[in-house]
Amino acid sequence: MLLLPLRVGKVHDLRAELTSEKKDPRGQRKKVAMKKVVANMTMGNDMSQLYQEVIACMSIPDLEVKKMVYLFLINYARARAEIANMAVNGFEDDVNDPNPLIRAMAIRTMGYIYVDRVIESLIDPLRHCLRDRDPYVRKTAAMAVLKLSMFDRSLVEEEKFLDMLKDLLADGNPSVVANAVAALTEISERSPHIKLKLNMKIANKLITALNECNEWGQIYILESLMYVVPQDTSDAETVIERIMPRLQHGNSGVVLVSVKVIAYMMNYVAQTETLEPILRKLSPPLVTLLAAGPEVQYITLRNIQLLLQRWPTILQNQLRAFFCKYDDPIYVKLAKLEVILSLTTEENARVVLTELVEYAAEIDVDFVRKAVRSIGRIAIKIELAADRCVRALLDLIQTKVNYVVQEAIVVIRDIFRKYPNRYESIIGTLCENLDTLDEPEARAAMIWIIGQYADRIDNSDRVLATFLDTFLDDPAEVQLAMLTAVVKLFIMRPTAGQDMVPKVLKWATEHVDSPDIRDRGFIYWRLLSTDPEMARAVVLADKPEISAEGERLDMPLLEELLLQVGTLSSIYRKPPCTFIPFAKKRVLGASEALTRLTIAPPPVSRLPRSASVMKRPPSSKQQQRTASSADDGVGGLSGSSSVQLSASALDVTNGGSGGMSNPYINDTAAGFMQGNDAVLIDLMSMDDDEYGGDSSAAINSGGMAGFNASFGLTGMNMASLDPATRGTAGTAPDSQVLNSAFDAAGLDALASVASPMARLSGRSGSPMPDLMRQFTSSFDLSSGGSSMGAIPSPMGNLSFSQHLQPQPVSGSTSSLAGMAGGAAAPYSVAANASSMPTLLGTTVAAGFPSVLSPTSTVFNIPTSTGSPFANSAAISGVQGNQQPLSAPVAGNNATLFSQTGNNSNGNITAAASGISEGTATAFKKEVDDLATQMYNSGFHNTTNAGSGSGSGGVGSGSDTGTYVAPRHVLLDAQQTQGLEILGTFARRTGGKIQMEMSFANKSSMPISDFAIQFNKNTYGLTPSGSLGVGTVAPMHSVDVTLPLTLGGPAQAMQPLTNLQIAIKCTAGVFYFQTQYSLHILFGETGNSDQGEFLRMWKAMGDAPTGSRNVQRLRFASMEDMRNKLNMNNVFTVAQRAVAGATHFYTSSKLVDGSMFYSEIKVANNFQAAIIVTKSTAAHLVPLYQKAVEDICTAF
Amino acid sequence: MLSAVFIYNQKGEVLISRLYRHDVKRSVADVFRVHVISSPASVVRSPVTTLGSTSFFHIRYDNLWLCAVAKNNASAAMVFEFLYRLLGLGVSYFGRFDEEAVKNNFVLIYELLDEILDFGYPQNMEVDTLKLYVTTESVRSRNVVEAPAPQSITMQATGATTWRRNDIVYKKNEAFVDVIESVNLILSAKGTVLRADVQGQIVMRSFLSGMPECKFGLNDKLVLDRDPASGSIVNRSGGVRVSGGAPPSRSMGTRAGGMGGVGDGESVEIADCQFHQCVRLGRFDTDRTISFIPPDGEFELMRYRTTENVNLPFKVLPVVRELGRSCVEYEVLIKSNFSAKLSATNMVVSIPTPPNATKCRIKVTGPGKAKYNPEENAIVWRISRFQGLQETSLTAVVDLAPMTKPTPWSRPPISLDFQVLMFTASGLLVRFLKVFERSNYQSVKWVRYMTKAGSYEIRI
């Protein structure tokens, strides 16, 4: 309080100085006084009382004084309107000042003051200033428009300032152009309905202006090039070529934004030959940035990681540039380590390893840990280096540095996982360090190792017993490991484990609070008490492969992040919308030229990555997921997916009481779909006018809304959920069982489900907020009555389906996620408003390692929106456990996924197992699947059995997603002295085209030495592998899959899909010809957005079209149909319901680039459909339609 | 784009606070202070900190924290580049940029901040132009030219060559070119080169009148390979004057006989280079011509990087033996690997010792003096002058105090610091610098070469 009079005194003095009547011709005294005012202001002293005096100084003709007055105004006027109002006159004088600097300053300052009167008086002068003859004023005015738009967006539009900004793009002065571009870019980024689109003409002009701009202007212009969607490859190539020189710029901001634009444009380059030199040119500038300041180095390194994932060939042979200097800041070192790991190949593994060992001796604990962990990753990634890595790790363990030892043990566990029966000799050394393990992860790893090798470690029981004392105090992760290890011990050495097992099981089920552990405890208990053999099969099952590609991002996320190179988003590896409230999602603009090419590195040097990343099928996504969970090093113990499996198993044992407590309920996410987010986005960014009254637009927005409804309900942590959801996105959606039904009008809702990010952005950036609000209604149907009959055994299998009958107007959609292990646990169900009066069928069935009845019981539950409905389950025919099941089981589609967020209850379970008629699968197989899952519960975050051709356990109907024509006789035994070949063509997930054949030997002699050759054909289809048929014994047959590639010698055939094939074997040489279904040539990238579709549809107005009637479609729902089509690369662009029918709009792209656009009108009873197709390749339309028909009518 | 810029002193007191957008309040300055400046963690784990939706980018210089705040998905590289440039402006305006300078010049800094950022978008940040209209007393007095008309300022600030005024006049037109190379080396304990590269910098000081068009040529392999004849023509055409100036300067055109290891006609493979914004990148891209209108005074024309055929100026052969837990023995031999006519100056070899070292017995055979420096945990060996093709060696025995909890010594690398004049580790030479101006004046050019240690690490 003492200070107060002092300060008042100061203000008083200053006031006196400012109003002094003394002679002050050039304002020098007042300048000094003003400086004092500004000084006080900076120190946080309130000078606002002086405003009258200060504003009076505006008339002093001195630039410096004026600047200070303006600073004062910016500081105080935004809070106090009266100050601003008083200054208006002064401003009005200044904007007409002959001195351009003063004019500009006035405009600039006024824009900062968000007070109505100031803004009002800004509008007119601003219009003049935008046309000022002085470029400095114009560039300042351009920025002022942006300021204005942040104050009042509508004002800017009403006053036509946007148009004036657009005009400035053609300004002769580069700085003006740059600022205008910057302003436009930001306005469009923040506006819900303005979308910046630049055509090539403007782009070319802007690029020309680049040369004259200062560095910042270059950044703004380059940034704006992200809004150019190249319409053909040459557009993209032009842009790349023209901005390539920018990589030599001294400003790292310019370099990285250029990299961003180039990386973006590379998606539109069609030829690998064009891409390669571009990639080569990208590398040196990136390395050069490593000589910049550490902050820029860090940003560069983070981005290099992203670029490397997408284009693994960049930075080849640049490994050494990433070696850490001793005095690099820690964040640079950690980032370098990641890059080093990515660049490690068989050839340089040795050098890298030496380097990592060096790092492991440094001081920073994080860095050392990461170095140790990296050694383990290399062992897993590069088999040839594994020995060396293990030796290095052992050496590190000898150092006895506590955290090094613990980290090493964690990675050694993964190495054991990857290479069973190879390094067990080192277990002894590991055990020497038992006492020092105090970190949960290391303890858990050690326990896992002991459990896994319980039969090889003589005293494994005693060693495990040492961990027993602390069991109840240990963290969940360790308890879980312990539980599993003890059970393994018991199974392998019953006598040794018999004392421990009951104790641990009792603790786990009675004293532990964690539901994960409790549930696991129960499941083991049941297993062991009912069927020890099964327990053995489950607990000691083979483990799925793990791979080292740790922090790999899944493709859609990676693609989005690559559109954000150099920004915060790229550093955090999170889409901007996760941390910026208004951020719009960026996507690769759809265009015919969108190729998403990548170049795979030479196959020797990298393992799983050699596959073209872009075309990665769902199954490999799943692998990635698996890998990353291993990589998390958490070992999937906390919140592991299969734990949910057991969780529900537990519920079952409890008698399946209605209101079971499920900790995961809030985070249950609905939906499995192919990651097809492009569809969603383009919908949102659709131009309204372009669409006019097209009803499909409305329907789509309904879909959006529906989808949002579910999202609103689930309220999950998007960031951490994302990978998990994506990881499971590959479950074959068209198997008889739908994992989640998300029907009604929301076609794209489905697409969006797979990509939660898309949704998030959908919420923030959708141009139809009103619609959304209107439609968004979410109901938690789950907590209500989920009633389950008592299930006598945890292996009880049940299958049930539910049909919801939506009300005509506000129909409901159920999204049923997370059915695990046979219990209808109360997961969340989202009801979506929809306007489609169709029946919606959700069939959820869950398979469990037990006998099951092949028939699923169907319940029809009329549900009105908002009312809780009961998930009823029918358990039919629980029979004895032991006998093998002969019932046909197909399409086991169990998917478990979980989220390992920091939120402890963040978990999602969604498992659905389907039973359908089809191929018969032995019971054992089913058990194996489950075993895998169970195993994973002990190790992995995510198990994803049952999808596509994924790892581990998939029922025989594994690839039910893609259509495969029935096999037909290619060679008849009659004409070939006993060799009969049946065959068909398939396109499996990931775009693998293959010929699936069975060779039957009906002669009395063995036939061997098979070889196959294709004649030239229309698309150059040739075998890419050898025919893996050995000797076929008499009266035996061999099934074989022959991978095919395109690009062989081509020659048009008649019909176009005809193939002439020669088979050579000991029985002779045989020739035959066959035809394949065109669908095997549909590319994975054939999806286009609505705008695109419409454009093309209109553009091909006169193109010959074909129309085809199809009878008896084999679909259970529209959902099913869409999924099936999508799985076969007939992508649904839009879907709308009309009376009694549904219209699908689809696009497909043939490998040769021809596009097919179809309208498929389907009667709601699926009795008939009409396909109308337009295509760039009209001659193919009949074949195309035939293929679509086959897809639709196949079982 | 940026929402605010703050400058703090070491303690975290706000010296400068300028808000550009309404999405942040001044109080975010405190957020950064609490979370980063006063954070208990001794080491900054990241130069970027995002709290909620507010991101803070900071760099440190002297006793200052320069911090930029953004609320959007800002281009991080651009923000840091801006902060670097802000720092540069400070240094250029005030000589030193520290708390003192900031406090004494806050009005000017506010003026600058108002000018260089508009609504958070960096605008013209060229010192030369800014000094025309954002001035201090001291800056103005140095400015010989009277304050120009506002129109010419605005043209200057928005034009195609924002970095140069068009009314510069010198009696004697001179240009100085400094080629400064930093050699980075990581040598493994076994003596294999893990990484060796050269970061070069070409700094030019131009005192040229008018708007001179400059062309600059190096013995760049790509250029010479393509057109071997052009080099000689240029030399004969005499775009370069020979003048016997001060010893470190060497007039262009003469071949560096004394240049370590690089003979005549040899060319250098430049892995990558970056240019000052005055250089026309398009032309470089098409025919690798470096052409530009230079700013007045000193500026960094280009940076380059070479990784092939690096001439390491020094060979270091260390033997470090840990004898039990009580003693470490060192034998370090250094050989200079450049022409005997040249010499290295200000050489400092830092040989790390374990933290528990107590006593050192050091013997140097050859030039230089060494002593144990306990604060740095190192033996510091200073050699004021080290001739080419010479060698020197050091032996030392370091006694260790017994430790209660023995932890292994992390054995940090030996590091070298040095300067060698008239030597380029890359072998790079300036072939010509041509100046064209309308008035067609004669100009004198000087070139100087220096190689210094970047991060010259020898692991032990």
Side-chain angles (χ1 to χ4, degrees), chain A residues 750-825:
Chain A
L750 244 186
S752 65
V753 168
S755 158
M757 291 311 158
R759 293 191 238 171
L760 195 60
S761 74
R763 303 186 97 203
S764 55
S766 162
M768 305 160 206
D770 288 335
L771 265 174
M772 214 110 94
R773 231 171 288 128
Q774 187 187 328
F775 278 96
T776 304
S777 58
S778 62
F779 304 94
D780 190 335
L781 304 185
S782 58
S783 55
S786 178
S787 73
M788 279 292 305
I791 301 167
S793 148
M795 285 105 202
N797 189 329
L798 56 119
S799 52
F800 65 90
S801 41
Q802 62 193 36
H803 283 216
L804 303 186
Q805 207 147 24
Q807 292 176 342
V809 180
S810 60
S812 74
T813 303
S814 88
S815 90
L816 222 152
M819 301 301 305

Side-chain angles (χ1 to χ4, degrees), chain A residues 1146-1169:
Chain A
T1146 65
S1147 73
S1148 310
K1149 185 179 190 175
L1150 210 63
V1151 284
D1152 67 359
S1154 328
M1155 293 296 300
F1156 296 92
Y1157 298 98
S1158 305
E1159 182 190 44
I1160 307 177
K1161 298 177 184 166
V1162 189
N1164 280 352
N1165 58 10
F1166 295 104
Q1167 279 304 311

Side-chain angles (χ1 to χ4, degrees), chain A residues 1127-1140:
Chain A
M1127 277 305 284
N1128 290 295
N1129 300 330
V1130 179
F1131 296 96
T1132 316
V1133 177
Q1135 169 187 351
R1136 67 188 173 118
V1138 294

Side-chain angles (χ1 to χ4, degrees), chain A residues 254-295:
Chain A
V254 177
V255 177
L256 279 177
V257 76
S258 306
V259 170
K260 168 159 73 178
V261 177
I262 292 171
Y264 163 60
M265 290 295 170
M266 281 198 293
N267 287 304
Y268 297 89
V269 169
Q271 307 273 328
T272 328
E273 300 79 66
T274 328
L275 204 58
E276 271 167 352
I278 299 171
L279 289 172
R280 259 202 310 280
K281 279 190 173 177
L282 272 181
S283 306
L286 289 172
V287 176
T288 300
L289 288 182
L290 295 180
E295 295 83 8

Side-chain angles (χ1 to χ4, degrees), chain B residues 25-84:
Chain B
K25 295 205 178 77
R26 205 196 127 113
S27 55
V28 297
D30 303 328
V31 175
F32 180 73
R33 185 184 57 239
V34 170
H35 281 92
V36 180
I37 301 182
S38 332
S39 130
S42 56
V43 191
V44 175
R45 305 305 280 195
S46 167
V48 196
T49 315
T50 298
L51 301 161
S53 60
T54 312
S55 305
F56 300 90
F57 305 76
H58 77 269
I59 61 171
R60 299 194 62 180
Y61 181 78
D62 207 309
N63 49 13
L64 298 178
W65 294 75
L66 275 62
C67 173
V69 184
K71 292 283 277 185
N72 67 343
N73 183 28
S75 157
M78 185 188 89
V79 177
F80 282 115
E81 207 60 56
F82 166 79
L83 289 174
Y84 295 159

Side-chain angles (χ1 to χ4, degrees), chain A residues 242-258:
Chain A
R242 293 193 64 191
I243 65 172
M244 202 53 109
R246 299 294 129 199
L247 295 176
Q248 246 73 51
H249 202 285
N251 183 320
S252 61
V254 177
V255 177
L256 279 177
V257 76
S258 306

Side-chain angles (χ1 to χ4, degrees), chain B residues 102-267:
Chain B
V102 173
K103 280 185 170 163
N104 291 338
N105 296 287
F106 64 90
V107 175
L108 180 79
I109 293 175
Y110 276 121
E111 275 186 43
L112 276 175
L113 283 176
D114 194 45
E115 187 59 40
I116 59 179
L117 274 179
D118 193 0
F119 209 45
Y121 283 91
Q123 303 290 311
N124 176 29
M125 288 185 83
E126 291 302 319
V127 180
D128 256 32
T129 320
L130 288 171
K131 280 185 179 171
L132 287 177
Y133 60 110
V134 182
T135 50
T136 59
E137 253 60 29
S138 58
V139 172
R140 186 177 299 153
S141 62
R142 259 192 277 130
N143 239 4
V144 276
V145 199
E146 260 309 295
Q151 279 76 8
S152 76
I153 294 176
T154 59
M155 290 313 289
Q156 178 68 49
T158 58
T161 48
T162 49
W163 53 86
R164 188 182 178 90
R165 291 185 284 127
N166 55 9
D167 54 355
I168 300 167
V169 181
Y170 287 99
K171 276 186 191 150
K172 190 176 174 190
N173 289 296
E174 283 184 298
F176 297 86
V177 177
D178 286 350
V179 178
I180 302 165
E181 296 199 335
S182 302
V183 199
N184 295 311
L185 170 75
I186 302 179
L187 200 68
S188 80
K190 291 189 186 114
T192 48
V193 176
L194 295 177
R195 175 187 166 185
D197 56 60
V198 172
Q199 306 284 353
Q201 223 187 344
I202 295 184
V203 176
M204 189 167 163
R205 279 169 297 150
S206 76
F207 304 104
L208 300 166
S209 312
M211 292 299 257
E213 253 312 315
C214 297
K215 264 193 186 174
F216 186 67
L218 296 167
N219 58 338
D220 176 357
K221 191 168 187 196
L222 280 180
V223 176
L224 295 182
D225 285 357
R226 191 173 46 217
D227 189 7
S230 73
S232 57
I233 292 167
V234 168
N235 275 340
R236 262 184 273 119
S237 74
V240 166
R241 282 170 56 105
V242 179
S243 49
S249 294
R250 172 181 298 270
S251 64
M252 291 184 213
T254 55
R255 283 299 176 193
M259 301 282 292
V262 186
D264 282 336
E266 274 192 40
S267 57

Side-chain angles (χ1 to χ4, degrees), chain A residues 815-832:
Chain A
S815 90
L816 222 152
M819 301 301 305
Y827 294 89
S828 64
V829 176
N832 295 325

